[in-house]
Amino acid sequence: LTRKVPIKSGPIFGIGLALCGRLLAEDDDLHLCLACRNLSKAGAVRDALLASHPSAEVSIVQMDVSNLQSVVRGAEEVKRRFQRLDYLYLNAGIMPNPQLNLKAFFCGIFSRNVIHMFSTAEGLLTQNDKITADGFQEVFETNLFGHFILIRELEPLLCHSDNPSQLIWTSSRNAKKSNFSLEDIQHAKGQEPYSSSKYATDLLNVALNRNFNQKGLYSSVTCPGVVMTNLTYGILPPFVWTLLLPVIWLLRFFAHAFTVTPYNGAEALVWLFHQKPESLNPLTKYLSGTTGLGTNYVKGQKMDVDEDTAEKFYKTLLELEKQVRITIQKSDHHS
């Protein structure tokens, strides 16, 4: 039997940590590789995972998706260690300095759209983005472009027509078409870069399926729902969330997007682990849901994406990739 090798990019707490634990609970013969920025934190997590799943293999690769040289170096390390990858979980993401639009918040509370507002945060959040050392908008590079470069680097390990591999993205219900523009793919001129980056993720998912399915590589997007993680604690102080929790538990009876815990939020990510990728609809986003009584399930939702726009976006990313490779080659030559 060939051991499946899932690579997970991103933080090793919250949904990422819950996902690792749940995958090993499903199959503790997995070889799980964590691609993380902080090696000491990753080491502690690896030790904890191996303590509860001693027959598993858990390895670590240092990688920061907001630094493209780090992505390329990390991918080279992965290619040295493995011959193929069965799953690549693309979970890293940031929402820097989120600001709550109080006017929209209080207007929404007293409207018929209150549940939709809480479950999607539509129109509620703005972020202050910044430029990375690579010259990109930080949210764009961290949430999308770093992952794209990683996929391109790992193509030889992912593309096997005889036995398909899966890309599994963490997107969001907050991915809104109105926040994305082909003329400003990095959302440099807007105030909702997180929403823009997640819509860009949905577009890229569609384009990747169009361009790679025949090579044995399939892509899917998920949304974990409203989960209490460092991302949400950045929006409101933890004590406010504690006060809101009874309301959130009540809202679960009307809107199942309030998954609350990282374990529940990882439901769609784990569900996709068991699916045949050829049977999945590339225009569907898979949503984690939790009922008022605490039962987890997965629901498919058609995405508001245009396939032609997705293809144009993909070609734009390929052009950006060419520029990045020239820059990296010059940097390596000088060093």
Side-chain angles (χ1 to χ4, degrees), residues 209-267:
N209 280 307
R210 286 185 68 173
N211 288 277
F212 285 93
N213 281 178
Q214 71 275 17
K215 298 177 183 178
L217 179 59
Y218 292 79
S219 180
S220 299
V221 286
T222 69
C223 174
V226 180
V227 181
M228 297 299 105
T229 66
N230 285 359
L231 215 61
T232 45
Y233 287 137
I235 300 168
L236 293 170
F239 79 90
V240 176
W241 284 114
T242 302
L243 294 174
L244 286 174
L245 268 179
V247 178
I248 291 173
W249 287 103
L250 181 63
L251 286 174
R252 257 195 190 171
F253 285 94
F254 306 97
H256 298 167
F258 297 95
T259 49
V260 182
T261 69
Y263 182 95
N264 296 344
E267 187 71 20

Side-chain angles (χ1 to χ4, degrees), residues 21-318:
R22 289 192 62 173
L23 287 177
L24 291 178
E26 298 282 332
D27 182 356
D28 61 6
D29 283 333
L30 287 175
H31 188 149
L32 187 64
C33 181
L34 310 176
C36 306
R37 282 186 306 174
N38 190 312
L39 288 180
S40 61
K41 288 183 179 179
V45 168
R46 178 183 59 188
D47 293 344
L49 290 171
L50 290 175
S52 54
H53 304 280
S55 65
E57 288 187 63
V58 181
S59 55
I60 300 168
V61 171
Q62 188 167 30
M63 187 183 300
D64 179 357
V65 288
S66 67
N67 182 307
L68 299 181
Q69 282 190 310
S70 171
V71 172
V72 172
R73 284 195 301 268
E76 289 298 328
E77 180 62 28
V78 171
K79 285 185 280 190
R80 279 193 291 271
R81 295 189 197 180
F82 305 108
Q83 281 71 53
R84 67 163 289 134
L85 300 173
D86 293 289
Y87 303 86
L88 178 57
Y89 281 93
L90 301 153
N91 182 59
I94 59 169
M95 186 194 290
N97 308 306
Q99 305 294 316
L100 184 65
N101 184 331
L102 291 175
K103 181 180 178 182
F105 178 75
F106 285 112
C107 288
I109 282 180
F110 300 105
S111 76
R112 65 178 65 182
N113 295 321
V114 58
I115 293 176
H116 175 78
M117 179 188 74
F118 271 109
S119 59
T120 66
E122 185 175 347
L124 282 184
L125 298 174
T126 60
Q127 299 93 41
N128 295 321
D129 209 351
K130 64 181 182 181
I131 304 295
T132 67
D134 294 318
F136 295 103
Q137 296 293 133
E138 184 182 32
V139 174
F140 169 79
E141 183 169 3
T142 305
N143 293 7
L144 181 108
F145 193 55
H147 288 127
F148 176 70
I149 296 298
L150 177 61
I151 293 165
R152 296 283 289 159
E153 286 289 314
L154 295 179
E155 270 185 42
L157 276 62
L158 290 165
C159 294
H160 299 278
S161 55
D162 59 321
N163 193 5
S165 295
Q166 285 180 266
L167 306 172
I168 302 176
W169 300 80
T170 300
S171 181
S172 173
R173 288 171 171 86
N174 188 243
K176 296 299 169 188
K177 188 175 186 176
S178 58
N179 286 324
F180 178 84
S181 166
L182 280 175
E183 287 70 47
D184 182 22
I185 64 169
Q186 298 189 50
H187 203 71
K189 300 173 184 175
Q191 292 187 305
E192 298 188 53
Y194 181 81
S195 175
S196 176
S197 72
K198 292 305 180 181
Y199 187 78
T201 297
D202 296 349
L203 285 174
L204 179 55
N205 169 74
V206 171
L208 288 170
N209 280 307
R210 286 185 68 173
N211 288 277
F212 285 93
N213 281 178
Q214 71 275 17
K215 298 177 183 178
L217 179 59
Y218 292 79
S219 180
S220 299
V221 286
T222 69
C223 174
V226 180
V227 181
M228 297 299 105
T229 66
N230 285 359
L231 215 61
T232 45
Y233 287 137
I235 300 168
L236 293 170
F239 79 90
V240 176
W241 284 114
T242 302
L243 294 174
L244 286 174
L245 268 179
V247 178
I248 291 173
W249 287 103
L250 181 63
L251 286 174
R252 257 195 190 171
F253 285 94
F254 306 97
H256 298 167
F258 297 95
T259 49
V260 182
T261 69
Y263 182 95
N264 296 344
E267 187 71 20
L269 296 167
V270 176
W271 180 82
L272 283 168
F273 177 73
H274 294 290
Q275 307 308 307
K276 290 184 177 180
E278 316 93 285
S279 67
L280 299 171
N281 186 337
L283 298 176
T284 296
K285 181 179 292 185
Y286 297 96
L287 314 177
S288 296
T290 304
T291 68
L293 297 177
T295 302
N296 292 327
Y297 69 98
V298 176
K299 172 187 174 183
Q301 181 181 79
K302 189 178 187 304
M303 293 187 287
D304 182 20
V305 292
D306 174 73
E307 293 189 58
D308 290 337
T309 303
E311 195 63 26
K312 289 175 184 176
F313 177 55
Y314 177 66
K315 289 177 180 175
T316 302
L317 291 181
L318 290 177

